Amino acid sequence: PPGRGQLEGRYTGLNFTAPAQVRFRYRLQGVDGEWGEAGGRRAAYYTSLLPGRYRFEVVACNAGGPWGGKGAALTFVLAPHWYQTLWFRLLVALGVLGALVAAYSARAHALRRRERDRAERAEERRHADEVTRSAYDQMMRVVEQLEERDRRNAILNEMGGLLQAATALKELPAIAASSVARLFPGTRGELFLR
């Protein structure tokens, strides 16, 4: 089962005549490169071990004697925690990749939406400019028509005044004859200048 990555290895060497003079050395293959001298201590401690396959070896010797051959060995496997497994790491990598793809997609969607909104606003401005330009052109045509009408009315008024004057001139002899006839009742309105 997965542990905390700590190992305490206990060992002993048999010497019934002088047990206190037995010396030890040990190594954990995959962690230690060289043998570690333990002296008379009968335990080895390891911390922060990663999951994997290990081989713990210990060799003993009597005081001043040769090291005892190949010694004893124990092979074991330290199982990984669920968060140390390959499938979990792959799942995390896929999750991170998925999050990056989702973030990219969201950003691309936001940029496309912003561009679409910008294009719609530009089209609205273009349409508003067109409407404004059309209204301005129509207003200018109305102003021109009003100016033309005013110019025609002025000409017609001048012509009307001239016509009234001409009519008054035409009626002048008749008015004069009527006035003479009233002033000189026997003349029938005829006035002769000599």
Side-chain angles (χ1 to χ4, degrees):
R4 293 189 307 246
Q6 297 177 346
L7 171 70
E8 178 181 341
R10 294 186 177 267
Y11 46 85
T12 190
L14 299 178
N15 183 337
F16 295 114
T17 57
Q21 292 182 0
V22 177
R23 293 185 337 212
F24 300 94
R25 66 180 182 176
Y26 61 87
R27 71 176 172 188
L28 184 60
Q29 286 184 351
V31 176
D32 297 328
E34 299 292 322
W35 288 93
E37 295 292 331
R41 187 168 39 103
R42 298 175 190 268
Y45 302 98
Y46 291 92
T47 59
S48 304
L49 292 177
L50 297 176
R53 184 177 183 87
Y54 295 98
R55 179 176 170 87
F56 181 73
E57 299 173 323
V58 64
V59 179
C61 77
N62 289 321
W67 289 102
K70 65 180 192 174
L74 172 68
T75 301
F76 63 94
V77 174
L78 183 59
H81 290 277
W82 61 271
Y83 54 84
Q84 294 173 318
T85 59
L86 178 62
W87 63 265
F88 177 76
R89 290 179 182 169
L90 289 175
L91 190 62
V92 168
L94 284 175
V96 168
L97 182 63
L100 290 174
V101 167
Y104 174 79
S105 295
R107 178 70 176 150
H109 178 72
L111 289 174
R112 282 192 301 272
R113 184 176 57 230
R114 184 184 304 160
E115 186 59 33
R116 187 175 55 245
D117 291 347
R118 187 177 295 144
E120 287 173 0
R121 284 193 305 273
E123 178 61 24
E124 288 170 1
R125 280 193 304 272
R126 188 193 62 74
H127 180 69
D129 288 348
E130 246 179 50
V131 167
T132 302
R133 194 173 310 114
S134 174
Y136 176 78
D137 291 346
Q138 187 174 2
M139 184 182 69
M140 290 310 292
R141 281 192 300 275
V142 167
V143 166
E144 288 172 0
Q145 290 171 355
L146 289 174
E147 288 174 349
E148 181 65 23
R149 188 192 70 186
D150 289 346
R151 190 174 55 78
R152 286 182 190 158
N153 285 342
I155 291 171
L156 288 175
N157 285 340
E158 284 181 32
M159 289 175 67
L162 291 174
L163 281 174
Q164 283 178 349
T167 304
L169 284 175
K170 244 192 225 180
E171 294 175 2
L172 187 60
I175 293 171
S178 167
S179 297
V180 167
R182 272 185 284 161
L183 289 172
F184 305 101
T187 62
R188 292 180 319 189
E190 297 173 359
L191 177 62
F192 296 102
L193 296 174
R194 296 184 191 178

